């Protein structure tokens, strides 16, 4: 393999691809499980924000054929620098990410995909997920209400059902409101770009600089969703600090009611209940306990 004419010294297999040692640089040949059209869209967004002054985000190397990806044995890979991943659970890292997130949103605002590139769009998709999870919750409540005896998982969950239902309904009420519809229209008009997935491998460091690392769900969407996901991943006491830091570079005024509705919805906990309804696996008790802590369910 050759990158820009440099010779490869060594190739090391890693969990998500290969680390390629060149004569004067180290690259990560990262396997990605997304369509080529989606990858082209993501690369266009990254190049757009780079050209507008935001370079705290990973970049895909363009290869000799001009493409920002390569195929190897039927799989798709991107070539990126070799970064150190940083845990978002540490408060200082979460606050750093909040700053990067707002700058990314502000810089990406207004991006128009090229006609030949199919854009990824997630406006309203999370709401549909919430609706489906709420239906599962109602089904589960009806089921346990009709039984005189309950297994270990059901006994663990029952004390939380009233709160789960109440929080879900309050959240859904906001997300079904005219205010939410108006916000979606504003977001579409502004052509807002979101990361959509903010998780364990979202922040990276290289040469004493921080970078947005998980870019593989970049889409058109609502900025409040990204901010809510970040807040839910972090120490709950950081919420106000994260919002304040985000507001320093926010591309528009945040709709706090919608943001709070996303934060309120007990998504992690309902996903475990959904899995139980499908699998009837009693070992999900531990997963439920962890999810309820993440969601702040008491």
């Amino acid at each position: 393999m050759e990158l820009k004419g440099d010779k490869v010294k060594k190739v090391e297999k890693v969990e998500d691809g290969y680390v390629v040692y060149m004569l004067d640089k180290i690259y990560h040949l990262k396997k990605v499980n997304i369509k080529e059209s989606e990858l082209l869209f993501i690369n266009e967004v990254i190049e757009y924000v780079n050209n507008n002054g935001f370079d705290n985000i990973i970049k895909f190397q363009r290869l000799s054929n001009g493409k920002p990806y390569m195929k190897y044995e039927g799989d798709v890979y991107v070539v990126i620098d070799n970064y150190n991943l940083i845990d978002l659970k540490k408060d200082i890292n979460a606050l750093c990410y909040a700053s990067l997130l707002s700058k990314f949103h502000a810089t990406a605002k207004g991006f128009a995909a090229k006609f030949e590139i199919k854009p990824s769009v997630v406006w309203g998709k999370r709401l549909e997920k919430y609706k489906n999870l709420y239906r599962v919750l109602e089904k589960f409540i009806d089921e346990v209400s009709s039984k005189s005896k309950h297994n270990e998982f059901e006994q663990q969950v029952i004390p939380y059902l009233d709160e789960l239902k109440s929080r879900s309904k309050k959240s859904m009420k906001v997300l079904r409101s005219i205010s939410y519809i108006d916000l979606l229209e504003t977001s579409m008009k502004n052509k807002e770009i979101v990361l959509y997935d903010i998780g364990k491998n979202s922040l990276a460091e290289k040469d004493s600089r921080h970078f947005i690392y998980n870019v593989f769900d970049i889409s058109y969407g609502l900025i409040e969703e990204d901010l809510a996901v970040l807040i839910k991943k972090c120490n709950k006491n950081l919420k106000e600090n994260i919002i304040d830091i985000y507001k320093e570079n926010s591309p528009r005024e945040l709709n706090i009611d919608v943001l709070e509705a996303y934060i309120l919805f007990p998504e992690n906990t309902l996903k475990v209940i959904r899995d139980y309804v499908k699998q009837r696996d009693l070992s999900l008790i531990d997963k439920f306990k962890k999810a309820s802590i993440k969601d702040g369910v008491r």
Side-chain angles (χ1 to χ4, degrees):
M1 169 186 154
E2 288 190 358
L3 292 172
K4 297 183 179 179
D6 295 330
K7 293 183 179 179
V8 175
K9 291 175 60 179
K10 183 176 72 170
V11 177
E12 177 184 335
K13 183 76 173 70
V14 292
E15 184 178 356
D16 60 347
Y18 303 88
V19 175
V20 182
Y21 295 83
M22 314 296 288
L23 286 175
D24 59 354
K25 196 161 186 177
I26 303 174
Y27 288 107
H28 183 183
L29 189 59
K30 181 177 175 62
K31 181 179 176 181
V32 293
N33 297 313
I34 57 177
K35 298 176 181 178
E36 293 174 56
S37 59
E38 294 171 337
L39 195 52
L40 288 172
F41 172 76
I42 292 166
N43 186 65
E44 289 289 336
V45 173
I46 292 173
E47 291 185 344
Y48 177 82
V49 297
N50 269 219
N51 291 336
N52 284 282
F54 181 74
D55 61 355
N56 293 88
I57 189 168
I58 66 170
K59 305 172 185 66
F60 305 154
Q61 298 292 323
R62 284 195 178 269
L63 305 182
S64 56
N65 60 5
K67 293 183 178 180
Y69 64 88
M70 64 179 295
K71 288 185 175 181
Y72 177 67
E73 294 185 346
D75 293 317
V76 177
Y77 294 82
V78 292
V79 180
I80 60 176
D81 287 346
N82 200 39
Y83 297 89
N84 295 316
L85 298 180
I86 298 177
D87 191 354
L88 271 186
K89 289 184 179 179
K90 292 184 179 180
D91 292 358
I92 191 170
N93 296 336
L95 297 176
C96 172
Y97 196 85
S99 178
L100 294 182
L101 182 64
S102 63
K103 291 174 183 176
F104 169 76
H105 284 164
T107 312
K109 176 183 173 182
F111 170 76
K114 292 181 179 178
F115 180 74
E116 66 271 19
I117 296 178
K118 183 179 180 181
S120 176
V121 178
V122 293
W123 281 302
K125 286 190 176 181
R126 200 180 300 274
L127 176 56
E128 285 304 312
K129 290 181 180 180
Y130 287 3
K131 288 178 181 178
N132 291 334
L133 288 172
Y134 184 68
R135 291 188 192 103
V136 171
L137 175 63
E138 289 187 310
K139 178 180 178 181
F140 181 80
I141 291 173
D142 289 343
E143 182 179 312
V144 296
S145 298
S146 66
K147 296 169 64 174
S148 57
K149 292 185 179 181
H150 303 102
N151 62 37
E152 293 177 58
F153 181 87
E154 293 164 347
Q155 290 174 14
Q156 176 67 40
V157 177
I158 286 173
Y160 299 95
L161 289 178
D162 286 344
E163 180 183 348
L164 291 173
K165 185 172 183 178
S166 174
R167 282 179 54 171
S168 298
K169 289 180 72 174
K170 287 179 181 177
S171 173
M172 299 284 285
K173 182 178 180 180
V174 175
L175 299 179
R176 287 170 170 161
S177 68
I178 296 298
S179 175
Y180 175 74
I181 299 300
D182 290 343
L183 186 63
L184 282 180
E185 291 179 355
T186 296
S187 179
M188 292 175 183
K189 182 179 179 180
N190 290 345
K191 295 185 175 67
E192 293 177 355
I193 295 287
V194 296
L195 298 170
Y196 195 66
D197 182 32
I198 299 173
K200 182 179 179 181
N201 297 330
S202 292
L203 182 64
E205 184 270 338
K206 185 177 185 295
D207 299 332
S208 300
R209 296 183 66 211
H210 292 95
F211 297 84
I212 291 174
Y213 186 81
N214 189 358
V215 299
F216 300 100
D217 287 287
I218 282 178
S219 309
Y220 285 112
L222 196 61
I223 60 174
E224 280 82 359
E225 290 190 34
D226 269 2
L227 188 56
V229 173
L230 173 61
I231 290 169
K232 292 177 79 169
K233 295 286 183 184
C234 305
N235 179 343
K236 63 181 180 180
N237 295 324
L238 284 182
K239 183 175 78 170
E240 296 305 323
N241 288 339
I242 287 175
I243 292 173
D244 287 343
I245 288 174
Y246 181 89
K247 282 182 176 179
E248 292 176 6
N249 292 286
S250 178
R252 61 165 168 77
E253 184 176 354
L254 292 170
N255 185 313
I256 299 300
D257 289 340
V258 169
L259 175 64
E260 292 288 0
Y262 280 120
I263 295 171
L264 183 65
F265 192 86
E267 181 178 3
N268 297 297
T269 312
L270 296 195
K271 281 181 177 179
V272 179
I273 294 175
R274 177 198 62 194
D275 292 345
Y276 170 77
V277 170
K278 288 181 179 179
Q279 304 167 17
R280 303 295 167 173
D281 184 355
L282 298 182
S283 68
L284 288 169
I285 291 175
D286 288 340
K287 192 173 180 181
F288 176 85
K289 290 178 181 179
K290 291 177 182 178
S292 63
I293 292 172
K294 283 183 182 179
D295 286 335
V297 178
R298 296 175 295 277

